Amino acid sequence: MADATTASTARPARIGVVTFPGTLDDGDARRAVRFAGAEAVALWHADTDISGVDAIVLPGGFSYGDYLRAGALATQSPIMRSIVEAANDGLPVLGICNGFQVLTESHLLPGALVRNEHLHFIRHDQSLRIESSETAWTNGYERGQEIVIPLKNAEGRYVADETTLQQLEDDGRIIARYIDGNPNGSAHDIAGITNAAGNVVGLMPHPEHAIVPGFGPDTAERMRSGTDGLTFFTSVLAHLGIAPVDDVVPASHAPEHHTADAGIRE
C-alpha cells in the first residue's frame, strides 16, 4: 500500500458518487470526497460508463423507494453492472447505509440488511470501534480506535447465517462494530464489513456527515468536533497512492431530466 506522503501529485484522485432515484446523500458524499482532496465525479444510475474513476461511493438514501427490498432494485441499474465488474477487478467501492444494502443485494458483500429489531427508524450520533485498518477505506484508522459518526436507518440490522458470521470473524472482515449499545440488533454488533480483498466496504453509519470541524457529532474530547468520518475518504487516497490536493475540480451534477425507471430498462 502506498503512503500518501510520498504518493504522486500529478493529478487528483477521481472518486465517483452514484445517484439512484431516491438517493439522499450523494451531495454530502461528493462534498466529503472534495474535503478529502479528491475530485468528485457524479455517476448516474442509468449509465454504464463509470468514467474511469479510481474509486466509487454508493451513498445513502432510499434507492427506488426501497421497493421489494432496500437496495434490491438498484442492483438492476446499468451502472451497477459496471460497478460489480470493476469491484471484482479490484476497484475500491464504499457503500454507505443504502449503499451497504446495495452491496449485499449485489453479492459483493455477504449477508443482508433487514428491518431494525425494534421496527423503528433511528437517527443519532453513534459510537463505533474500528476493527480493521487493512482495507482500502479504513487504513488511516488504528485498529481499536473509537469514533463517532451519525447513524440513520430503518433497515440497518445486519444478519447472516452462523457460518458466514464466523468466517467474517475469523478472517478479520468486520471493519467496525457498534459500541455503547447496539442500535438496531445487528448480529455481532456489526456496523460494517469488507470483502476478502479489502477493496469493497459496506458501512451502515454515515461518515460523510462527520467531516467538518465544528459541524459534526460530539466526541469525548470536544463538543461537536465532528471529523471522525473524514478518514474513510482520505484512506482510499493512501490506498490508491494518490496524494490529496487542495484545489480540485468542482463536482458535476446528475442530469436534470431523467425518468425514474430509466436505470432498470433493458
Side-chain angles (χ1 to χ4, degrees):
M1 182 180 300
D3 185 337
T5 61
T6 60
S8 170
T9 58
R11 66 170 179 85
R14 303 178 69 250
I15 300 180
V17 178
V18 179
T19 298
F20 301 102
T23 296
L24 295 179
D25 296 315
D26 46 345
D28 279 8
R30 291 195 298 266
R31 184 166 178 257
V33 166
R34 296 196 300 273
F35 266 71
E39 176 188 347
V41 179
L43 299 177
W44 187 235
H45 70 109
D47 295 333
T48 57
D49 183 5
I50 60 173
S51 301
V53 295
D54 301 301
I56 285 177
V57 177
L58 301 176
F62 303 90
S63 59
Y64 295 92
D66 281 352
Y67 288 109
L68 186 59
R69 290 182 309 275
L73 292 182
T75 66
Q76 302 306 305
S77 294
I79 197 73
M80 279 308 302
R81 299 168 195 170
S82 300
I83 290 171
V84 168
E85 181 179 356
N88 286 331
D89 287 338
L91 185 77
V93 178
L94 173 65
I96 303 168
C97 195
N98 187 229
F100 189 2
Q101 295 161 346
V102 173
L103 291 177
T104 60
E105 291 286 346
S106 300
H107 305 294
L108 286 171
L109 292 175
L113 283 307
V114 300
R115 191 74 174 172
N116 292 343
E117 193 171 52
H118 45 67
L119 305 182
H120 295 292
F121 181 87
I122 53 175
R123 69 274 183 214
H124 61 247
D125 295 341
Q126 178 65 48
S127 297
L128 305 176
R129 182 174 62 246
I130 300 298
E131 300 284 10
S132 172
S133 58
E134 300 300 318
T135 79
W137 298 92
T138 61
N139 61 77
Y141 293 104
E142 297 291 334
R143 184 178 179 184
Q145 183 176 345
E146 295 183 4
I147 65 173
V148 181
I149 60 177
L151 175 72
K152 52 179 187 177
N153 62 72
E155 290 84 20
R157 177 163 59 103
Y158 182 80
V159 296
D161 61 79
E162 286 302 321
T163 299
T164 298
L165 290 170
Q166 191 58 54
Q167 185 174 26
L168 291 173
E169 294 280 6
D170 292 345
D171 294 347
R173 290 171 53 193
I174 298 171
I175 64 105
R177 293 187 207 266
Y178 300 113
I179 56 176
D180 301 331
N182 186 325
N184 48 33
S186 288
H188 294 214
D189 299 326
I190 289 172
I193 61 173
T194 184
N195 65 343
N199 63 304
V200 178
V201 165
L203 183 71
M204 185 47 57
H206 288 260
E208 78 280 15
H209 297 330
I211 62 165
V212 184
F215 292 91
D218 298 345
T219 65
E221 292 75 24
R222 187 157 59 91
M223 190 171 82
R224 303 199 67 78
S225 52
T227 60
D228 284 353
L230 186 61
T231 304
F232 280 94
F233 301 95
T234 56
S235 289
V236 77
L237 302 189
H239 171 81
L240 293 167
I242 303 176
V245 297
D246 291 330
D247 298 312
V248 296
V249 178
S252 56
H253 298 281
E256 293 182 1
H257 303 290
H258 57 83
T259 56
D261 63 345
I264 58 174
R265 291 178 176 171
E266 294 296 333

